Amino acid sequence: MKFFKLSILFSLLLFVFSCKNGIVENPGIIPQPNFISYQKGTFEINENTIIVIEESKEGQWIAGELKSFLKDHFNLNLGVSSVVQDNAIHLKLSEDLEGKEAYQLEVSEKGVLINASSYQSIFYGLQSLKQLLSPKMIVSKPILNYVTIKDSPEFGWRGMMLDVSRHFLEKDSVKKVIDILAMHKMNKFHWHLVDGIGWRIQIDKYPELTKKGAWRKVKEFKKPWEDFEATYKDGDGEIYGGYYTKDDIREIVAYAAERYIDVIPEIEMPGHSEAALQCYPEFICENTVNTGVYCAGNDDSFEFLQNIIDEVVALFPYDYLHIGGDEVGKEAWLNCKKCQQRMRDNNLQSGEELQSYFVRRMEEFIHSKGKKLIGWDEILEGGIPERATVMSWRGFDGGIEAANAGHDVVMSPATPLYFDYNQGKSEFEPPSWGGYNNLLAVYNFNPVPKGISEDKKHHILGGQANLWVEQIESLTHIQYMMLPRLSALSEALWTNSANKNEDEFIKKIDVHFDRLKALGYNFSWSALSPDYEISYDKVKKEFTLQLDNELGIYDIRYTLDGSEPSINSELYSKPIHYSSPITIHAQTFRNGEAIGFSLKKMFSTSFIDSAKITYINPYDATYSAGGDLALFNNRYANPRGDDSNWQGFPHKDFEIIIDLGTPNDLSYIGLNFFQHLASTSVMLPTEVTIAISKDGNDYQTVYNQALETIHDRNPIIKRIETNFEKQNLTFIKISAQNRGVLPDWHIRKGDAWIFVDEVSVR
């Protein structure tokens, strides 16, 4: 584990010092320009400064954006002119620059000049200028150092996907998401409008898609995708949903276009279509249930989708239309007479080849409409249409295969670009789908992995993050999952790798936090939340606790008495050594303010070299957590089923006997159990018993409790703990009763699992 980066802290102090007179040496720009050089001298924007730009509608809109920024930040009301003059902010179109996204920004004694190849690149230069003049709490006066910036992006596809099917997002909130993309020079907004549990776009030819497919019944103790049932807005009981009218779509597309962002619609096919098929069941395979898959043997299925696409392409004036194509179940096809006939007629040997037929047929239609088909990497299976573009989400392999075969590729691997994954390790993180994609992992993302032939690398268009909203219900939660990770991604996609520097990014993101705060965004401080590492010295019989945060900056203060840390608590400056149990409570402080989530853990010392554990029922090899002593390694599992610190027991009870090796005076025993009904088969035990013994023969029960069944679908960590009169003991017996099989009301079938972690004693 790294310690605090003192050079970064020192640079931050110098930066703050340089801000006292309103002159900022280098507030940092995200994404990092590909060339930037500061010179001696400053220019101050004042009430006589003029914004110079040609008299076009597009130019005047950009000038208005700059006017509003200067008015809000410095109470300056600048005039706009098309006449070139000194003491001006000149926004100039130039034919000398190559590429529609290239710009140059120069600050000199004459003023500010943004020289750009297009209005789009003027807009990007404006974003850089805004960052040089913000945040307001640091840049108190509109004073700019002389600087020269020459900049253009490394990749042409810099995007983010937002799912609005699982949870609907109102029109004005979608615009706020677009604002965040725009300030980071992102240029693609992939809009996931359709999925299995919600249809969100008006289609005139098929009105039931929004009359019914856009609404669902809310069912007690069930997540939206569990036992999904489309209904009508005015139906009985609690109803959830919403959709965008065509006018809404046009408004959002126009809003994004003003900010030079292409909106890429996604219309899922052939799978993930339960909502549409509940509205129009005639497109389900015959004699099968609705699995969310269109019947590939029914020509009417294709006509239905082609009619939808006819209306969709009229709303989105950009090159691409996304068809999904992921996670398509083939069972219905393989049991459908029409699908089997289709396979025979076209000499198709598998369900994958039938899916390829489906995608190829739709690609031909989409191409006839002047659009390019793009789909998730499953469209590679069974053969891919010649003109198709692949979006690689299951790692890099699909993208590598597609690029080497001559297909354009957008890299969006779940690790590290699924923004519905946690960005911090704290158990207090808001609901997420699971997984862990931290800030610096996103920053170090490279869309061009090894394995792509040199002459094929140009097929990598760029990359994008994906934000699925199964667990995310509000704009504030969306902002939290986006930021600051989108800031890191913007630099990964804009800046040439030779010009990237992680330490410099950490300094810049620290300033950027204040920009985001000033804009009122609900961003995450997870990268500054304390984390820990424990080591044990067998010779000294001493434990060592180290504290840090991901970015390695700012003070961590802590207590060992159970109290909440304050700015006056002990400053962490060196590892903490201990040989008896401790409870650490740690918190990061930035400029005197507590930020991020606190760390509160108890660490035992009784499980040293002589301790042994006997399992009455073995743990599952897939969920071993590292082996027999994993329950005593001082690493607490987080509330995620994929956390490798959980030890798993299917069907049978959890029963262990701990031999401490030597007698210990103890008065407390505790351990954690996990449950996540929405996405795992892991449930809390029905009963837990803890007993203690001096000799391993005669046991005294110190805890016995039946646990109430909890129907909450969200992740739960249940802490079981018992305090008892201090006793000298050597053996601990713990048992937790497994319910054996999942109850009938559970969405899954089969064995119930118990997940357990970290037995603590003192």
Side-chain angles (χ1 to χ4, degrees), residues 30-282:
I30 296 175
Q32 175 68 23
N34 279 298
F35 175 85
I36 183 167
S37 175
Y38 286 88
Q39 298 93 41
K40 291 183 179 179
T42 60
F43 171 76
E44 181 172 2
I45 302 170
N46 57 47
E47 62 274 7
N48 296 317
T49 304
I50 298 295
I51 299 172
V52 176
I53 193 167
E54 66 179 35
E55 293 179 353
S56 67
K57 181 179 179 181
E58 201 168 353
Q60 293 302 304
W61 183 87
I62 293 175
E65 287 290 292
L66 179 56
K67 276 178 62 73
S68 296
F69 173 83
L70 293 171
K71 177 67 175 177
D72 292 344
H73 281 69
F74 305 108
N75 199 30
L76 290 172
N77 188 17
L78 301 193
V80 179
S81 173
S82 60
V83 179
V84 177
Q85 54 196 286
D86 290 346
N87 190 20
I89 303 172
H90 188 185
L91 310 177
K92 179 185 176 184
L93 288 173
S94 173
E95 297 180 355
D96 297 334
L97 297 178
E98 293 184 4
K100 69 175 184 178
E101 296 184 303
Y103 74 93
Q104 295 178 356
L105 189 157
E106 184 174 357
V107 179
S108 67
E109 69 278 2
K110 294 182 179 180
V112 179
L113 171 64
I114 296 178
N115 198 30
S117 60
S118 67
Y119 283 119
Q120 180 172 355
S121 46
I122 287 178
F123 182 80
Y124 292 153
L126 180 59
Q127 304 316 306
S128 293
L129 179 61
K130 285 181 177 180
Q131 291 195 31
L132 291 174
L133 291 167
S134 64
K136 187 177 179 180
M137 64 176 293
I138 294 175
V139 185
S140 60
K141 296 181 180 179
I143 300 175
L144 294 162
N145 264 34
Y146 292 171
V147 65
T148 299
I149 294 173
K150 298 177 182 180
D151 204 12
S152 62
E154 182 72 2
F155 294 98
W157 189 297
R158 307 180 305 281
M160 192 190 85
M161 185 281 297
L162 179 65
D163 167 21
V164 293
S165 173
R166 277 58 176 243
H167 286 101
F168 180 67
L169 191 65
E170 295 291 344
K171 175 179 64 177
D172 288 344
S173 294
V174 175
K175 291 180 180 179
K176 288 181 168 61
V177 171
I178 290 170
D179 288 339
I180 296 172
L181 298 178
M183 72 175 288
H184 290 94
K185 304 187 180 83
M186 306 295 273
N187 66 352
K188 297 288 189 290
F189 175 53
H190 173 179
W191 204 2
H192 190 80
L193 289 162
V194 173
D195 210 293
I197 60 172
W199 187 281
R200 306 294 180 208
I201 177 172
Q202 176 187 347
I203 301 297
D204 294 335
K205 192 172 183 65
Y206 302 109
E208 285 293 292
L209 290 172
T210 46
K211 285 183 178 179
K212 181 179 179 182
W215 309 93
R216 64 175 179 249
K217 290 186 177 181
V218 177
K219 299 186 177 182
E220 190 177 16
F221 303 131
K222 291 188 176 181
K223 289 291 186 181
W225 56 91
E226 297 174 350
D227 192 23
F228 165 74
E229 186 178 351
T231 188
Y232 294 96
K233 184 179 180 180
D234 57 357
D236 295 335
E238 185 179 356
I239 307 298
Y240 176 89
Y243 68 94
Y244 307 100
T245 67
K246 287 188 173 181
D247 285 342
D248 291 336
I249 298 284
R250 293 184 187 101
E251 183 178 334
I252 290 170
V253 168
Y255 187 88
E258 286 179 329
R259 290 150 183 83
Y260 303 97
I261 293 172
D262 297 351
V263 182
I264 314 299
E266 182 176 353
I267 306 297
E268 279 273 14
M269 63 183 83
H272 281 286
S273 299
E274 287 87 347
L277 291 171
Q278 284 193 23
C279 298
Y280 295 94
E282 60 266 34

Side-chain angles (χ1 to χ4, degrees), residues 555-757:
D555 292 346
I556 295 178
R557 295 185 178 272
Y558 70 94
T559 65
L560 297 176
D561 61 3
S563 63
E564 185 174 339
S566 71
I567 192 65
N568 298 314
S569 298
E570 185 76 18
L571 173 66
Y572 177 80
S573 59
K574 60 183 180 180
I576 300 167
H577 303 286
Y578 61 98
S579 55
S580 58
I582 62 169
T583 297
I584 184 87
H585 197 171
Q587 178 73 61
T588 302
F589 287 84
R590 178 180 185 264
N591 303 330
E593 178 186 0
I595 55 171
F597 297 110
S598 65
L599 172 73
K600 188 173 184 180
K601 302 291 182 187
M602 175 192 162
F603 298 113
S604 299
T605 57
S606 297
F607 305 117
I608 52 177
D609 304 334
S610 57
K612 296 179 181 178
I613 181 170
T614 300
Y615 288 85
I616 307 304
N617 296 313
Y619 47 79
D620 186 88
T622 307
Y623 297 95
S624 69
D628 287 359
L629 297 181
L631 299 180
F632 321 122
N633 62 3
N634 284 312
R635 291 300 306 180
Y636 285 85
N638 289 312
R640 304 196 319 262
D642 62 346
D643 191 305
S644 60
N645 290 300
W646 290 116
Q647 202 166 71
F649 299 81
H651 190 71
K652 295 183 178 180
D653 296 343
F654 165 69
E655 293 185 75
I656 60 170
I657 298 173
I658 303 167
D659 180 353
L660 298 175
T662 57
N664 284 254
D665 290 329
L666 299 179
S667 61
Y668 169 90
I669 301 170
L671 72 164
N672 289 340
F673 292 97
F674 179 64
Q675 173 175 291
H676 191 187
L677 298 181
S679 61
T680 76
S681 299
V682 181
M683 297 191 68
L684 295 176
T686 58
E687 185 176 353
V688 177
T689 303
I690 302 174
I692 57 176
S693 173
K694 292 182 179 180
D695 58 10
N697 294 315
D698 296 322
Y699 280 90
Q700 174 190 350
T701 298
V702 292
Y703 181 93
N704 178 251
Q705 185 73 48
L707 303 187
E708 180 182 358
T709 298
I710 299 176
H711 289 268
D712 189 341
R713 317 300 282 174
N714 293 310
I716 297 169
I717 289 181
K718 175 71 174 177
R719 182 70 177 171
I720 300 295
E721 50 190 357
T722 178
N723 292 280
F724 48 90
E725 186 177 345
K726 184 177 291 186
Q727 297 191 42
N728 187 258
L729 59 97
T730 305
F731 296 90
I732 302 170
K733 182 188 293 184
I734 304 175
S735 63
Q737 186 173 325
N738 192 329
R739 64 182 65 240
V741 296
L742 295 170
D744 291 340
W745 50 262
H746 199 290
I747 189 172
R748 294 169 178 251
K749 304 300 178 187
D751 289 340
W753 286 66
I754 286 177
F755 270 22
V756 62
D757 180 49

Side-chain angles (χ1 to χ4, degrees), residues 311-476:
E311 296 191 34
V312 170
V313 297
L315 296 170
F316 297 91
Y318 303 109
D319 290 343
Y320 292 92
L321 189 144
H322 204 299
I323 62 140
D326 60 310
E327 299 176 328
V328 179
K330 313 297 194 301
E331 185 177 352
W333 287 349
L334 298 178
N335 291 284
C336 170
K337 290 181 179 179
K338 289 183 178 180
C339 290
Q340 290 301 298
Q341 186 62 49
R342 178 82 72 194
M343 293 176 70
R344 286 190 292 272
D345 291 346
N346 291 274
N347 195 28
L348 306 175
Q349 305 303 312
S350 65
E352 287 71 25
E353 290 188 9
L354 181 56
Q355 178 172 342
S356 176
Y357 167 88
F358 196 111
V359 173
R360 288 176 189 275
R361 185 164 168 176
M362 293 308 303
E363 191 279 333
E364 290 176 2
F365 181 79
I366 290 167
H367 179 72
S368 75
K369 297 296 175 180
K371 301 293 183 182
K372 298 177 182 178
L373 180 147
I374 186 170
W376 302 111
D377 55 60
E378 284 94 333
I379 68 172
L380 287 162
E381 298 168 3
I384 180 174
E386 182 179 354
R387 294 177 293 249
T389 298
V390 171
M391 189 167 279
S392 188
W393 74 276
R394 296 180 298 176
F396 290 94
D397 289 349
I400 294 170
E401 177 187 343
N404 284 333
H407 293 274
D408 286 345
V409 172
V410 177
M411 287 292 190
S412 58
T415 303
L417 297 188
Y418 265 31
F419 281 7
D420 52 322
Y421 287 13
N422 284 316
Q423 54 197 312
K425 297 179 181 179
S426 172
E427 62 268 35
F428 304 116
E429 289 284 343
S432 70
W433 189 249
Y436 174 58
N437 286 331
N438 58 298
L439 178 65
L440 294 182
V442 175
Y443 179 77
N444 289 306
F445 165 69
N446 183 351
V448 186
K450 295 179 180 179
I452 298 177
S453 301
E454 195 64 35
D455 64 338
K456 302 294 186 183
K457 289 183 177 179
H458 67 280
H459 284 296
I460 304 300
L461 303 180
Q464 73 172 40
N466 297 320
L467 182 49
W468 306 100
V469 298
E470 285 95 338
Q471 306 287 346
I472 301 167
E473 302 183 26
S474 66
L475 174 63
T476 55

